[in-house]
Amino acid sequence: MSGIDISAIVSWLQFALWSIVIIVGGNQLRTKVKESGGLKNMSLSHKAIHLALTVGLLLSATSLYFNYRPRTVEKVVTNIEPYKFKWVGNNAPRNRVAGKTFHDEVVPLDDNEYTDCKFINVKFLYNGTAPSRLLYNDIEGFEVVSNNPSISGTIELAYALNTVGAPLINTRTGKQPAHNNKILQTAEPRAPEPGQ
């Protein structure tokens, strides 16, 4: 019984009953037609009954066809990827780098602290998963990029408002955040490149 549902069984039973009624009624109709001398001489009620039986059989056959034919089942597949930019660092950055020079490279900021370093034409990569800290560094040409669409949108907004070169206001204190970095030159403001 797998593959046939209850509506198909009902349609088969209905079709069988209509068929029996039509066969029996058909035999009676032939007898009446012979007795009365043709279809023209039959009563209107007999014609209406036989017409109703024939229409019922056709409707039953149509119902059987639509219930018995293979159905297309639409399956919704949901592939949910885990969010890879989840915030995981509520403490100070765990990785500390001091006294290093970075030149023409991508420098990851998430969960990193850089002290007394020199950055020359670098791309700071920040995905917003953990805090970062820059202390007493020389920065000569930089861009800020992200793989996280939310952070990328914020960076684009900061570029559009020309706030990347100037420190932002700390919303808790209402003051500019303290930093001890010497920004010697910033890169020409432009939209971050996706997928960096």
Side-chain angles (χ1 to χ4, degrees):
M1 275 254 191
S2 65
I4 298 179
D5 61 8
I6 191 71
S7 62
I9 294 171
V10 169
S11 294
W12 274 111
L13 290 174
Q14 188 180 22
F15 181 75
L17 288 174
W18 279 110
S19 298
I20 291 169
V21 168
I22 289 294
I23 290 170
V24 171
N27 286 336
Q28 288 180 357
L29 178 64
R30 269 190 302 224
T31 306
K32 290 276 185 192
V33 169
K34 284 181 184 177
E35 289 174 1
S36 62
L39 284 172
K40 293 180 184 177
N41 298 331
M42 284 190 66
S43 70
L44 189 60
S45 61
H46 277 94
K47 289 179 183 177
I49 290 172
H50 288 290
L51 179 64
L53 290 175
T54 304
V55 170
L57 178 64
L58 291 174
L59 291 175
S60 179
T62 304
S63 171
L64 177 64
Y65 168 75
F66 283 114
N67 278 310
Y68 193 72
R69 70 188 172 115
R71 294 181 183 178
T72 303
V73 178
E74 190 173 315
K75 184 177 180 184
V76 177
V77 178
T78 307
N79 185 8
I80 300 175
E81 293 182 19
Y83 187 62
K84 59 185 173 184
F85 300 114
K86 183 180 176 186
W87 181 263
V88 294
N90 287 328
N91 300 317
R94 292 177 293 177
N95 307 315
R96 290 181 170 79
V97 180
K100 190 173 176 187
T101 299
F102 298 88
H103 192 277
D104 293 323
E105 59 186 288
V106 176
V107 179
L109 294 180
D110 295 81
D111 212 14
N112 289 304
E113 177 182 296
Y114 296 96
T115 307
D116 292 319
C117 293
K118 188 167 186 175
F119 300 97
I120 304 167
N121 297 324
V122 297
K123 289 184 181 181
F124 289 119
L125 175 65
Y126 185 65
N127 289 321
T129 61
S132 63
R133 191 178 292 152
L134 297 168
L135 301 169
Y136 306 103
N137 298 292
D138 289 337
I139 303 171
E140 193 175 328
F142 72 93
E143 288 181 72
V144 182
V145 295
S146 181
N147 295 324
N148 184 339
S150 298
I151 300 297
S152 291
T154 304
I155 293 168
E156 287 178 25
L157 178 63
Y159 275 123
L161 298 175
N162 290 324
T163 58
V164 173
L168 300 172
I169 299 296
N170 186 325
T171 54
R172 289 186 195 156
T173 63
K175 299 178 183 176
Q176 290 184 348
H179 71 83
N180 301 308
N181 299 299
K182 191 188 317 178
I183 312 272
L184 303 174
Q185 172 193 357
T186 61
E188 188 66 30
R190 60 183 173 180
E193 298 173 19
Q196 292 287 320

